[in-house]
Amino acid sequence: MAFVLGTTSGGTGRHVRMLTEGLVKLGHQVLVVGPPSVEERFAFTGAGARFVPVPVSDRPHPLNDARAVLALRRLTRNADAVHAHGLRAGALAALAAPALPARGGRAPLVVTLHNALTAGGFVGLVYGTLERIVARRADRVLVVSPDLGERMERLGAGDVRPAVVPAPPLRPARRTPEEVRADLGAGERPIVLTVARLAQQKGLENLLDAARGPWAGGGRETVTPGASAGPSGESSGRGRPLFVVAGEGPLREALQRRIDAEALPVMLLGERDDVPDLLAAATVVVWTSRWEGQPLSLSETLMAGRPVVATAVGGIPDLLGGAGRLVPYGDAGALRSAVRELVEDPRAAARMAEAAARRGAELPDAADAVADVLAGYGKPRSYGR
């Protein structure tokens, strides 16, 4: 089996690592092809795969792309199946696919699309070209949301199916919610948590709009990590939430400037390795995204049994399965109202937490994902069975 992926630092790499581990345990030989950075971050060789570096960048580069196609053609020549993850990787693998002989004919090419474009202009034009290449040349396209599937079918894809993209088991929290609150300086204030990359797709400007108020509990204030949130009953009263964002990205400086200028009750924590701790301490967890597929952080939140408010975009409604509150993208008022209801009504929050935990227990696991891709490759679950 050969996996092809481009530059990634998040869910796509974690997903390929999970599939690699599962296939190796079942006795399959796995080759992973991608830029050196993905091996450094996800250690596919540590999962038992062979890794070969090939520059599959996130931006078009004619010379490098031509070299990548030739390398993919050579490296995957004898693969039983080629599975590319992401549009760029999928298009390059599709261009290499005609020269991929295997027993009984060409090896099947499967492409999983993990993201949708949320920008236009020249980038949108290039993106559309890559989509058409994948739609016309891939044997099967797996998608993380219904809208992606409909788009690929319109472009001519003959076999489009939902992708199974589970989150890994959620590790237990290492600290108590009280310890997390103390570290954040939250006092008794409700914590509204967002786990997201600070990028255009995540719509975080709407989170700041919602945080601006009006809220119960007094005037505006900003809180810095480790600072006191103020004595209970003063301006940091329980009715005024503290918005906490775990993640890093290119919009950090712009978001921080606005937080400072408007004295918003929002903390940008940067990259965190204690998300389970933050989830356990959160009153509600929020997504403000322009588009999402099947975000692993949302699956983790459901498994943690935390109340969810999210935008009704992409694959979120299907993943949530009614176990949370959906709001229109860009409607800061609706977002604020949904959060306020959960903050002010502990019984409603408890009911939603119970629904989230039930939904989290229903979600597919790694074994389901491995079985699904093997079926897509036309392979049994394991050799000898």
PDB file of all heavy atoms in Angstrom, residues 159-199:
ATOM      1  N   ASP A 159     -17.034   7.358  -8.593  1.00  0.00           N
ATOM      2  CA  ASP A 159     -17.230   6.618  -7.343  1.00  0.00           C
ATOM      3  C   ASP A 159     -16.846   7.526  -6.183  1.00  0.00           C
ATOM      4  O   ASP A 159     -15.659   7.718  -5.895  1.00  0.00           O
ATOM      5  CB  ASP A 159     -16.378   5.348  -7.342  1.00  0.00           C
ATOM      6  CG  ASP A 159     -16.698   4.421  -6.178  1.00  0.00           C
ATOM      7  OD1 ASP A 159     -17.362   4.869  -5.219  1.00  0.00           O
ATOM      8  OD2 ASP A 159     -16.269   3.246  -6.218  1.00  0.00           O
ATOM      9  N   VAL A 160     -17.840   8.114  -5.541  1.00  0.00           N
ATOM     10  CA  VAL A 160     -17.609   9.043  -4.434  1.00  0.00           C
ATOM     11  C   VAL A 160     -18.279   8.476  -3.188  1.00  0.00           C
ATOM     12  O   VAL A 160     -19.462   8.120  -3.229  1.00  0.00           O
ATOM     13  CB  VAL A 160     -18.171  10.445  -4.742  1.00  0.00           C
ATOM     14  CG1 VAL A 160     -17.908  11.394  -3.586  1.00  0.00           C
ATOM     15  CG2 VAL A 160     -17.572  10.989  -6.030  1.00  0.00           C
ATOM     16  N   ARG A 161     -17.526   8.415  -2.105  1.00  0.00           N
ATOM     17  CA  ARG A 161     -18.062   7.839  -0.874  1.00  0.00           C
ATOM     18  C   ARG A 161     -17.609   8.660   0.330  1.00  0.00           C
ATOM     19  O   ARG A 161     -16.592   9.344   0.269  1.00  0.00           O
ATOM     20  CB  ARG A 161     -17.591   6.389  -0.714  1.00  0.00           C
ATOM     21  CG  ARG A 161     -17.908   5.517  -1.910  1.00  0.00           C
ATOM     22  CD  ARG A 161     -17.609   4.076  -1.652  1.00  0.00           C
ATOM     23  NE  ARG A 161     -17.772   3.287  -2.879  1.00  0.00           N
ATOM     24  CZ  ARG A 161     -17.779   1.951  -2.903  1.00  0.00           C
ATOM     25  NH1 ARG A 161     -17.621   1.276  -1.777  1.00  0.00           N
ATOM     26  NH2 ARG A 161     -17.935   1.314  -4.057  1.00  0.00           N
ATOM     27  N   PRO A 162     -18.334   8.543   1.433  1.00  0.00           N
ATOM     28  CA  PRO A 162     -17.899   9.233   2.653  1.00  0.00           C
ATOM     29  C   PRO A 162     -16.603   8.630   3.187  1.00  0.00           C
ATOM     30  O   PRO A 162     -16.414   7.405   3.160  1.00  0.00           O
ATOM     31  CB  PRO A 162     -19.061   9.000   3.636  1.00  0.00           C
ATOM     32  CG  PRO A 162     -20.215   8.581   2.791  1.00  0.00           C
ATOM     33  CD  PRO A 162     -19.641   7.888   1.603  1.00  0.00           C
ATOM     34  N   ALA A 163     -15.733   9.486   3.679  1.00  0.00           N
ATOM     35  CA  ALA A 163     -14.510   9.028   4.321  1.00  0.00           C
ATOM     36  C   ALA A 163     -14.777   8.768   5.796  1.00  0.00           C
ATOM     37  O   ALA A 163     -15.583   9.455   6.425  1.00  0.00           O
ATOM     38  CB  ALA A 163     -13.406  10.063   4.169  1.00  0.00           C
ATOM     39  N   VAL A 164     -14.100   7.777   6.335  1.00  0.00           N
ATOM     40  CA  VAL A 164     -14.166   7.494   7.771  1.00  0.00           C
ATOM     41  C   VAL A 164     -12.896   8.048   8.392  1.00  0.00           C
ATOM     42  O   VAL A 164     -11.796   7.537   8.158  1.00  0.00           O
ATOM     43  CB  VAL A 164     -14.291   5.983   8.040  1.00  0.00           C
ATOM     44  CG1 VAL A 164     -14.292   5.701   9.544  1.00  0.00           C
ATOM     45  CG2 VAL A 164     -15.556   5.434   7.382  1.00  0.00           C
ATOM     46  N   VAL A 165     -13.034   9.129   9.156  1.00  0.00           N
ATOM     47  CA  VAL A 165     -11.870   9.824   9.719  1.00  0.00           C
ATOM     48  C   VAL A 165     -12.061   9.951  11.229  1.00  0.00           C
ATOM     49  O   VAL A 165     -12.527  10.984  11.731  1.00  0.00           O
ATOM     50  CB  VAL A 165     -11.678  11.214   9.081  1.00  0.00           C
ATOM     51  CG1 VAL A 165     -10.388  11.863   9.583  1.00  0.00           C
ATOM     52  CG2 VAL A 165     -11.644  11.114   7.559  1.00  0.00           C
ATOM     53  N   PRO A 166     -11.750   8.892  11.972  1.00  0.00           N
ATOM     54  CA  PRO A 166     -11.955   8.953  13.414  1.00  0.00           C
ATOM     55  C   PRO A 166     -10.826   9.689  14.129  1.00  0.00           C
ATOM     56  O   PRO A 166      -9.699   9.785  13.628  1.00  0.00           O
ATOM     57  CB  PRO A 166     -11.955   7.480  13.819  1.00  0.00           C
ATOM     58  CG  PRO A 166     -11.057   6.831  12.815  1.00  0.00           C
ATOM     59  CD  PRO A 166     -11.266   7.584  11.526  1.00  0.00           C
ATOM     60  N   ALA A 167     -11.139  10.192  15.291  1.00  0.00           N
ATOM     61  CA  ALA A 167     -10.106  10.740  16.159  1.00  0.00           C
ATOM     62  C   ALA A 167      -9.494   9.602  16.965  1.00  0.00           C
ATOM     63  O   ALA A 167     -10.154   8.592  17.229  1.00  0.00           O
ATOM     64  CB  ALA A 167     -10.706  11.779  17.108  1.00  0.00           C
ATOM     65  N   PRO A 168      -8.238   9.733  17.345  1.00  0.00           N
ATOM     66  CA  PRO A 168      -7.658   8.719  18.234  1.00  0.00           C
ATOM     67  C   PRO A 168      -8.321   8.767  19.593  1.00  0.00           C
ATOM     68  O   PRO A 168      -8.971   9.765  19.944  1.00  0.00           O
ATOM     69  CB  PRO A 168      -6.177   9.144  18.317  1.00  0.00           C
ATOM     70  CG  PRO A 168      -6.182  10.601  18.009  1.00  0.00           C
ATOM     71  CD  PRO A 168      -7.293  10.821  17.043  1.00  0.00           C
ATOM     72  N   PRO A 169      -8.197   7.705  20.385  1.00  0.00           N
ATOM     73  CA  PRO A 169      -8.784   7.736  21.735  1.00  0.00           C
ATOM     74  C   PRO A 169      -8.284   8.952  22.516  1.00  0.00           C
ATOM     75  O   PRO A 169      -7.100   9.304  22.452  1.00  0.00           O
ATOM     76  CB  PRO A 169      -8.294   6.427  22.360  1.00  0.00           C
ATOM     77  CG  PRO A 169      -8.022   5.526  21.192  1.00  0.00           C
ATOM     78  CD  PRO A 169      -7.523   6.426  20.097  1.00  0.00           C
ATOM     79  N   LEU A 170      -9.177   9.576  23.226  1.00  0.00           N
ATOM     80  CA  LEU A 170      -8.829  10.771  23.981  1.00  0.00           C
ATOM     81  C   LEU A 170      -8.138  10.364  25.284  1.00  0.00           C
ATOM     82  O   LEU A 170      -8.691   9.586  26.066  1.00  0.00           O
ATOM     83  CB  LEU A 170     -10.091  11.580  24.291  1.00  0.00           C
ATOM     84  CG  LEU A 170      -9.891  12.948  24.932  1.00  0.00           C
ATOM     85  CD1 LEU A 170      -9.228  13.901  23.943  1.00  0.00           C
ATOM     86  CD2 LEU A 170     -11.232  13.510  25.399  1.00  0.00           C
ATOM     87  N   ARG A 171      -6.945  10.887  25.500  1.00  0.00           N
ATOM     88  CA  ARG A 171      -6.238  10.557  26.749  1.00  0.00           C
ATOM     89  C   ARG A 171      -6.917  11.265  27.918  1.00  0.00           C
ATOM     90  O   ARG A 171      -7.549  12.315  27.758  1.00  0.00           O
ATOM     91  CB  ARG A 171      -4.768  10.972  26.661  1.00  0.00           C
ATOM     92  CG  ARG A 171      -4.541  12.465  26.653  1.00  0.00           C
ATOM     93  CD  ARG A 171      -3.109  12.807  27.038  1.00  0.00           C
ATOM     94  NE  ARG A 171      -2.840  14.241  26.968  1.00  0.00           N
ATOM     95  CZ  ARG A 171      -3.187  15.113  27.901  1.00  0.00           C
ATOM     96  NH1 ARG A 171      -3.853  14.704  28.979  1.00  0.00           N
ATOM     97  NH2 ARG A 171      -2.898  16.398  27.768  1.00  0.00           N
ATOM     98  N   PRO A 172      -6.799  10.720  29.110  1.00  0.00           N
ATOM     99  CA  PRO A 172      -7.396  11.370  30.284  1.00  0.00           C
ATOM    100  C   PRO A 172      -6.720  12.707  30.566  1.00  0.00           C
ATOM    101  O   PRO A 172      -5.543  12.911  30.260  1.00  0.00           O
ATOM    102  CB  PRO A 172      -7.130  10.366  31.416  1.00  0.00           C
ATOM    103  CG  PRO A 172      -6.838   9.065  30.744  1.00  0.00           C
ATOM    104  CD  PRO A 172      -6.197   9.419  29.440  1.00  0.00           C
ATOM    105  N   ALA A 173      -7.480  13.614  31.170  1.00  0.00           N
ATOM    106  CA  ALA A 173      -6.909  14.891  31.595  1.00  0.00           C
ATOM    107  C   ALA A 173      -5.881  14.643  32.698  1.00  0.00           C
ATOM    108  O   ALA A 173      -6.053  13.760  33.545  1.00  0.00           O
ATOM    109  CB  ALA A 173      -8.006  15.813  32.094  1.00  0.00           C
ATOM    110  N   ARG A 174      -4.808  15.431  32.681  1.00  0.00           N
ATOM    111  CA  ARG A 174      -3.748  15.293  33.683  1.00  0.00           C
ATOM    112  C   ARG A 174      -3.949  16.241  34.860  1.00  0.00           C
ATOM    113  O   ARG A 174      -3.352  16.049  35.916  1.00  0.00           O
ATOM    114  CB  ARG A 174      -2.380  15.568  33.047  1.00  0.00           C
ATOM    115  CG  ARG A 174      -2.013  14.606  31.934  1.00  0.00           C
ATOM    116  CD  ARG A 174      -0.546  14.766  31.531  1.00  0.00           C
ATOM    117  NE  ARG A 174      -0.190  13.837  30.473  1.00  0.00           N
ATOM    118  CZ  ARG A 174      -0.028  14.168  29.207  1.00  0.00           C
ATOM    119  NH1 ARG A 174      -0.217  15.433  28.827  1.00  0.00           N
ATOM    120  NH2 ARG A 174       0.308  13.278  28.305  1.00  0.00           N
ATOM    121  N   ARG A 175      -4.755  17.294  34.650  1.00  0.00           N
ATOM    122  CA  ARG A 175      -5.012  18.258  35.704  1.00  0.00           C
ATOM    123  C   ARG A 175      -6.513  18.365  35.945  1.00  0.00           C
ATOM    124  O   ARG A 175      -7.315  18.053  35.076  1.00  0.00           O
ATOM    125  CB  ARG A 175      -4.456  19.637  35.328  1.00  0.00           C
ATOM    126  CG  ARG A 175      -2.947  19.694  35.183  1.00  0.00           C
ATOM    127  CD  ARG A 175      -2.504  21.067  34.714  1.00  0.00           C
ATOM    128  NE  ARG A 175      -3.007  21.353  33.371  1.00  0.00           N
ATOM    129  CZ  ARG A 175      -3.101  22.577  32.848  1.00  0.00           C
ATOM    130  NH1 ARG A 175      -2.760  23.630  33.564  1.00  0.00           N
ATOM    131  NH2 ARG A 175      -3.555  22.745  31.619  1.00  0.00           N
ATOM    132  N   THR A 176      -6.874  18.828  37.105  1.00  0.00           N
ATOM    133  CA  THR A 176      -8.285  19.026  37.408  1.00  0.00           C
ATOM    134  C   THR A 176      -8.770  20.311  36.739  1.00  0.00           C
ATOM    135  O   THR A 176      -7.975  21.210  36.433  1.00  0.00           O
ATOM    136  CB  THR A 176      -8.513  19.147  38.920  1.00  0.00           C
ATOM    137  OG1 THR A 176      -7.885  20.356  39.389  1.00  0.00           O
ATOM    138  CG2 THR A 176      -7.932  17.946  39.652  1.00  0.00           C
ATOM    139  N   PRO A 177     -10.080  20.425  36.523  1.00  0.00           N
ATOM    140  CA  PRO A 177     -10.608  21.687  35.986  1.00  0.00           C
ATOM    141  C   PRO A 177     -10.230  22.885  36.860  1.00  0.00           C
ATOM    142  O   PRO A 177      -9.986  23.983  36.331  1.00  0.00           O
ATOM    143  CB  PRO A 177     -12.124  21.452  35.966  1.00  0.00           C
ATOM    144  CG  PRO A 177     -12.267  19.979  35.790  1.00  0.00           C
ATOM    145  CD  PRO A 177     -11.131  19.381  36.577  1.00  0.00           C
ATOM    146  N   GLU A 178     -10.175  22.697  38.160  1.00  0.00           N
ATOM    147  CA  GLU A 178      -9.812  23.799  39.046  1.00  0.00           C
ATOM    148  C   GLU A 178      -8.382  24.258  38.807  1.00  0.00           C
ATOM    149  O   GLU A 178      -8.089  25.465  38.828  1.00  0.00           O
ATOM    150  CB  GLU A 178      -9.994  23.366  40.507  1.00  0.00           C
ATOM    151  CG  GLU A 178     -11.435  23.149  40.932  1.00  0.00           C
ATOM    152  CD  GLU A 178     -12.047  21.872  40.365  1.00  0.00           C
ATOM    153  OE1 GLU A 178     -11.276  20.957  39.987  1.00  0.00           O
ATOM    154  OE2 GLU A 178     -13.292  21.784  40.297  1.00  0.00           O
ATOM    155  N   GLU A 179      -7.488  23.300  38.544  1.00  0.00           N
ATOM    156  CA  GLU A 179      -6.103  23.664  38.248  1.00  0.00           C
ATOM    157  C   GLU A 179      -5.994  24.400  36.920  1.00  0.00           C
ATOM    158  O   GLU A 179      -5.231  25.370  36.790  1.00  0.00           O
ATOM    159  CB  GLU A 179      -5.233  22.410  38.235  1.00  0.00           C
ATOM    160  CG  GLU A 179      -5.022  21.790  39.606  1.00  0.00           C
ATOM    161  CD  GLU A 179      -4.326  20.457  39.533  1.00  0.00           C
ATOM    162  OE1 GLU A 179      -4.583  19.683  38.579  1.00  0.00           O
ATOM    163  OE2 GLU A 179      -3.515  20.167  40.435  1.00  0.00           O
ATOM    164  N   VAL A 180      -6.762  23.966  35.936  1.00  0.00           N
ATOM    165  CA  VAL A 180      -6.758  24.652  34.642  1.00  0.00           C
ATOM    166  C   VAL A 180      -7.298  26.069  34.809  1.00  0.00           C
ATOM    167  O   VAL A 180      -6.734  27.034  34.268  1.00  0.00           O
ATOM    168  CB  VAL A 180      -7.598  23.869  33.604  1.00  0.00           C
ATOM    169  CG1 VAL A 180      -7.719  24.663  32.310  1.00  0.00           C
ATOM    170  CG2 VAL A 180      -6.984  22.499  33.345  1.00  0.00           C
ATOM    171  N   ARG A 181      -8.369  26.220  35.548  1.00  0.00           N
ATOM    172  CA  ARG A 181      -8.944  27.544  35.774  1.00  0.00           C
ATOM    173  C   ARG A 181      -7.940  28.465  36.458  1.00  0.00           C
ATOM    174  O   ARG A 181      -7.830  29.649  36.121  1.00  0.00           O
ATOM    175  CB  ARG A 181     -10.196  27.428  36.645  1.00  0.00           C
ATOM    176  CG  ARG A 181     -11.380  26.854  35.921  1.00  0.00           C
ATOM    177  CD  ARG A 181     -12.592  26.751  36.850  1.00  0.00           C
ATOM    178  NE  ARG A 181     -13.789  26.613  36.033  1.00  0.00           N
ATOM    179  CZ  ARG A 181     -14.412  27.611  35.445  1.00  0.00           C
ATOM    180  NH1 ARG A 181     -13.949  28.845  35.593  1.00  0.00           N
ATOM    181  NH2 ARG A 181     -15.465  27.406  34.689  1.00  0.00           N
ATOM    182  N   ALA A 182      -7.227  27.926  37.416  1.00  0.00           N
ATOM    183  CA  ALA A 182      -6.235  28.744  38.111  1.00  0.00           C
ATOM    184  C   ALA A 182      -5.142  29.193  37.158  1.00  0.00           C
ATOM    185  O   ALA A 182      -4.703  30.352  37.185  1.00  0.00           O
ATOM    186  CB  ALA A 182      -5.642  27.961  39.284  1.00  0.00           C
ATOM    187  N   ASP A 183      -4.695  28.291  36.283  1.00  0.00           N
ATOM    188  CA  ASP A 183      -3.652  28.649  35.318  1.00  0.00           C
ATOM    189  C   ASP A 183      -4.127  29.720  34.351  1.00  0.00           C
ATOM    190  O   ASP A 183      -3.348  30.580  33.921  1.00  0.00           O
ATOM    191  CB  ASP A 183      -3.202  27.407  34.538  1.00  0.00           C
ATOM    192  CG  ASP A 183      -2.363  26.462  35.384  1.00  0.00           C
ATOM    193  OD1 ASP A 183      -1.897  26.894  36.457  1.00  0.00           O
ATOM    194  OD2 ASP A 183      -2.180  25.306  34.969  1.00  0.00           O
ATOM    195  N   LEU A 184      -5.406  29.666  33.990  1.00  0.00           N
ATOM    196  CA  LEU A 184      -5.960  30.643  33.050  1.00  0.00           C
ATOM    197  C   LEU A 184      -6.368  31.944  33.734  1.00  0.00           C
ATOM    198  O   LEU A 184      -6.658  32.931  33.057  1.00  0.00           O
ATOM    199  CB  LEU A 184      -7.179  30.054  32.322  1.00  0.00           C
ATOM    200  CG  LEU A 184      -6.939  28.844  31.431  1.00  0.00           C
ATOM    201  CD1 LEU A 184      -8.262  28.333  30.869  1.00  0.00           C
ATOM    202  CD2 LEU A 184      -5.980  29.180  30.296  1.00  0.00           C
ATOM    203  N   GLY A 185      -6.396  31.947  35.056  1.00  0.00           N
ATOM    204  CA  GLY A 185      -6.876  33.124  35.769  1.00  0.00           C
ATOM    205  C   GLY A 185      -8.355  33.361  35.554  1.00  0.00           C
ATOM    206  O   GLY A 185      -8.812  34.501  35.512  1.00  0.00           O
ATOM    207  N   ALA A 186      -9.127  32.286  35.438  1.00  0.00           N
ATOM    208  CA  ALA A 186     -10.540  32.409  35.078  1.00  0.00           C
ATOM    209  C   ALA A 186     -11.447  32.656  36.268  1.00  0.00           C
ATOM    210  O   ALA A 186     -12.591  33.090  36.083  1.00  0.00           O
ATOM    211  CB  ALA A 186     -11.001  31.145  34.343  1.00  0.00           C
ATOM    212  N   GLY A 187     -10.982  32.378  37.456  1.00  0.00           N
ATOM    213  CA  GLY A 187     -11.869  32.508  38.599  1.00  0.00           C
ATOM    214  C   GLY A 187     -13.069  31.598  38.440  1.00  0.00           C
ATOM    215  O   GLY A 187     -12.936  30.424  38.130  1.00  0.00           O
ATOM    216  N   GLU A 188     -14.275  32.129  38.667  1.00  0.00           N
ATOM    217  CA  GLU A 188     -15.510  31.356  38.506  1.00  0.00           C
ATOM    218  C   GLU A 188     -16.181  31.602  37.155  1.00  0.00           C
ATOM    219  O   GLU A 188     -17.303  31.138  36.921  1.00  0.00           O
ATOM    220  CB  GLU A 188     -16.485  31.691  39.637  1.00  0.00           C
ATOM    221  CG  GLU A 188     -15.971  31.304  41.012  1.00  0.00           C
ATOM    222  CD  GLU A 188     -17.015  31.535  42.090  1.00  0.00           C
ATOM    223  OE1 GLU A 188     -18.171  31.813  41.729  1.00  0.00           O
ATOM    224  OE2 GLU A 188     -16.669  31.457  43.270  1.00  0.00           O
ATOM    225  N   ARG A 189     -15.520  32.294  36.273  1.00  0.00           N
ATOM    226  CA  ARG A 189     -16.130  32.624  34.988  1.00  0.00           C
ATOM    227  C   ARG A 189     -16.299  31.385  34.122  1.00  0.00           C
ATOM    228  O   ARG A 189     -15.470  30.470  34.128  1.00  0.00           O
ATOM    229  CB  ARG A 189     -15.265  33.643  34.241  1.00  0.00           C
ATOM    230  CG  ARG A 189     -15.073  34.930  34.992  1.00  0.00           C
ATOM    231  CD  ARG A 189     -14.018  35.791  34.337  1.00  0.00           C
ATOM    232  NE  ARG A 189     -14.423  36.270  33.023  1.00  0.00           N
ATOM    233  CZ  ARG A 189     -13.691  37.097  32.277  1.00  0.00           C
ATOM    234  NH1 ARG A 189     -12.521  37.517  32.729  1.00  0.00           N
ATOM    235  NH2 ARG A 189     -14.134  37.502  31.119  1.00  0.00           N
ATOM    236  N   PRO A 190     -17.373  31.299  33.344  1.00  0.00           N
ATOM    237  CA  PRO A 190     -17.501  30.215  32.366  1.00  0.00           C
ATOM    238  C   PRO A 190     -16.366  30.297  31.344  1.00  0.00           C
ATOM    239  O   PRO A 190     -15.944  31.385  30.936  1.00  0.00           O
ATOM    240  CB  PRO A 190     -18.855  30.502  31.701  1.00  0.00           C
ATOM    241  CG  PRO A 190     -19.565  31.431  32.632  1.00  0.00           C
ATOM    242  CD  PRO A 190     -18.509  32.230  33.307  1.00  0.00           C
ATOM    243  N   ILE A 191     -15.861  29.146  30.943  1.00  0.00           N
ATOM    244  CA  ILE A 191     -14.804  29.082  29.931  1.00  0.00           C
ATOM    245  C   ILE A 191     -15.412  28.611  28.622  1.00  0.00           C
ATOM    246  O   ILE A 191     -16.018  27.533  28.547  1.00  0.00           O
ATOM    247  CB  ILE A 191     -13.674  28.133  30.365  1.00  0.00           C
ATOM    248  CG1 ILE A 191     -12.947  28.712  31.589  1.00  0.00           C
ATOM    249  CG2 ILE A 191     -12.682  27.908  29.219  1.00  0.00           C
ATOM    250  CD1 ILE A 191     -11.870  27.802  32.144  1.00  0.00           C
ATOM    251  N   VAL A 192     -15.272  29.423  27.584  1.00  0.00           N
ATOM    252  CA  VAL A 192     -15.717  29.078  26.236  1.00  0.00           C
ATOM    253  C   VAL A 192     -14.463  28.749  25.430  1.00  0.00           C
ATOM    254  O   VAL A 192     -13.648  29.625  25.140  1.00  0.00           O
ATOM    255  CB  VAL A 192     -16.505  30.227  25.589  1.00  0.00           C
ATOM    256  CG1 VAL A 192     -16.929  29.856  24.177  1.00  0.00           C
ATOM    257  CG2 VAL A 192     -17.727  30.574  26.434  1.00  0.00           C
ATOM    258  N   LEU A 193     -14.304  27.488  25.087  1.00  0.00           N
ATOM    259  CA  LEU A 193     -13.072  27.002  24.460  1.00  0.00           C
ATOM    260  C   LEU A 193     -13.247  26.834  22.958  1.00  0.00           C
ATOM    261  O   LEU A 193     -14.283  26.339  22.491  1.00  0.00           O
ATOM    262  CB  LEU A 193     -12.678  25.660  25.078  1.00  0.00           C
ATOM    263  CG  LEU A 193     -11.500  24.915  24.448  1.00  0.00           C
ATOM    264  CD1 LEU A 193     -10.192  25.686  24.634  1.00  0.00           C
ATOM    265  CD2 LEU A 193     -11.378  23.504  25.030  1.00  0.00           C
ATOM    266  N   THR A 194     -12.244  27.236  22.197  1.00  0.00           N
ATOM    267  CA  THR A 194     -12.151  26.942  20.768  1.00  0.00           C
ATOM    268  C   THR A 194     -10.797  26.305  20.510  1.00  0.00           C
ATOM    269  O   THR A 194      -9.769  26.813  20.967  1.00  0.00           O
ATOM    270  CB  THR A 194     -12.304  28.218  19.924  1.00  0.00           C
ATOM    271  OG1 THR A 194     -13.621  28.739  20.093  1.00  0.00           O
ATOM    272  CG2 THR A 194     -12.074  27.931  18.447  1.00  0.00           C
ATOM    273  N   VAL A 195     -10.786  25.187  19.803  1.00  0.00           N
ATOM    274  CA  VAL A 195      -9.548  24.517  19.407  1.00  0.00           C
ATOM    275  C   VAL A 195      -9.458  24.627  17.891  1.00  0.00           C
ATOM    276  O   VAL A 195     -10.229  23.994  17.170  1.00  0.00           O
ATOM    277  CB  VAL A 195      -9.536  23.043  19.849  1.00  0.00           C
ATOM    278  CG1 VAL A 195      -8.217  22.376  19.452  1.00  0.00           C
ATOM    279  CG2 VAL A 195      -9.761  22.928  21.353  1.00  0.00           C
ATOM    280  N   ALA A 196      -8.549  25.467  17.403  1.00  0.00           N
ATOM    281  CA  ALA A 196      -8.528  25.745  15.968  1.00  0.00           C
ATOM    282  C   ALA A 196      -7.200  26.366  15.563  1.00  0.00           C
ATOM    283  O   ALA A 196      -6.565  27.068  16.358  1.00  0.00           O
ATOM    284  CB  ALA A 196      -9.664  26.683  15.575  1.00  0.00           C
ATOM    285  N   ARG A 197      -6.826  26.130  14.326  1.00  0.00           N
ATOM    286  CA  ARG A 197      -5.704  26.856  13.735  1.00  0.00           C
ATOM    287  C   ARG A 197      -6.145  28.293  13.508  1.00  0.00           C
ATOM    288  O   ARG A 197      -7.287  28.553  13.114  1.00  0.00           O
ATOM    289  CB  ARG A 197      -5.287  26.198  12.422  1.00  0.00           C
ATOM    290  CG  ARG A 197      -4.019  26.765  11.810  1.00  0.00           C
ATOM    291  CD  ARG A 197      -3.492  25.856  10.722  1.00  0.00           C
ATOM    292  NE  ARG A 197      -2.243  26.376  10.172  1.00  0.00           N
ATOM    293  CZ  ARG A 197      -2.151  27.127   9.080  1.00  0.00           C
ATOM    294  NH1 ARG A 197      -3.248  27.410   8.382  1.00  0.00           N
ATOM    295  NH2 ARG A 197      -0.994  27.563   8.655  1.00  0.00           N
ATOM    296  N   LEU A 198      -5.250  29.232  13.759  1.00  0.00           N
ATOM    297  CA  LEU A 198      -5.587  30.643  13.583  1.00  0.00           C
ATOM    298  C   LEU A 198      -5.433  31.015  12.112  1.00  0.00           C
ATOM    299  O   LEU A 198      -4.468  31.645  11.694  1.00  0.00           O
ATOM    300  CB  LEU A 198      -4.687  31.511  14.473  1.00  0.00           C
ATOM    301  CG  LEU A 198      -4.608  31.110  15.944  1.00  0.00           C
ATOM    302  CD1 LEU A 198      -3.790  32.126  16.732  1.00  0.00           C
ATOM    303  CD2 LEU A 198      -5.992  30.934  16.546  1.00  0.00           C
ATOM    304  N   ALA A 199      -6.418  30.604  11.324  1.00  0.00           N
ATOM    305  CA  ALA A 199      -6.360  30.767   9.879  1.00  0.00           C
ATOM    306  C   ALA A 199      -7.732  31.192   9.361  1.00  0.00           C
ATOM    307  O   ALA A 199      -8.756  31.074  10.050  1.00  0.00           O
ATOM    308  CB  ALA A 199      -5.914  29.468   9.208  1.00  0.00           C
TER     309      ALA A 199
END
